[in-house]
Amino acid sequence: MQDETSTSIANLIEVVENQVADQDPKKVAETLMRLRMTGYSRDEAIEYIACALMVEIYDVSHHNGQFTLSRYEANLDTLPDMPWADEINLDIGE
């Protein structure tokens, strides 16, 4: 299970890195810059963004939902706070 979790996190980080490189959605790169300017390392910022992406993936997989860009962007706006973390039992290892 630990290997699966590590792989999943690595996959999320890869997706976020691709979003930053592609500037799509643009809000991801903006969030990275905002978090960096407030003192977070690049790795920490990418991990926070991956957490916001995880919310969308969780919703799609557990509620038969669709990826909602506006909700993803709204969650990016809340970072580094994650008011939705308890809803999905998100353990970010702090």
Side-chain angles (χ1 to χ4, degrees):
M1 183 71 151
Q2 184 70 359
D3 287 340
E4 270 184 45
T5 301
S6 296
T7 301
S8 297
I9 292 168
N11 289 340
L12 285 170
I13 289 172
E14 182 178 352
V15 169
V16 171
E17 290 286 7
N18 290 335
Q19 290 177 335
V20 170
D22 295 343
Q23 298 268 325
D24 184 28
K26 188 175 181 178
K27 178 69 89 175
V28 172
E30 292 171 354
T31 303
L32 175 61
M33 185 183 319
R34 177 176 55 80
L35 291 171
R36 294 282 303 163
M37 291 176 69
T38 57
Y40 291 92
S41 72
R42 188 177 194 290
D43 288 343
E44 289 171 322
I46 293 292
E47 288 175 6
Y48 274 118
I49 295 167
C51 289
L53 178 59
M54 187 184 312
V55 172
E56 285 308 306
I57 293 169
Y58 179 89
D59 187 64
V60 169
S61 65
H62 287 83
H63 300 111
N64 296 320
Q66 287 188 314
F67 183 86
T68 306
L69 180 60
S70 61
R71 183 178 50 216
Y72 179 39
E73 290 179 339
N75 287 334
L76 291 171
D77 285 339
T78 67
L79 295 175
D81 294 330
M82 297 185 289
W84 28 263
D86 289 338
E87 294 174 31
I88 61 171
N89 292 323
L90 183 61
D91 179 13
I92 61 168
E94 289 191 88

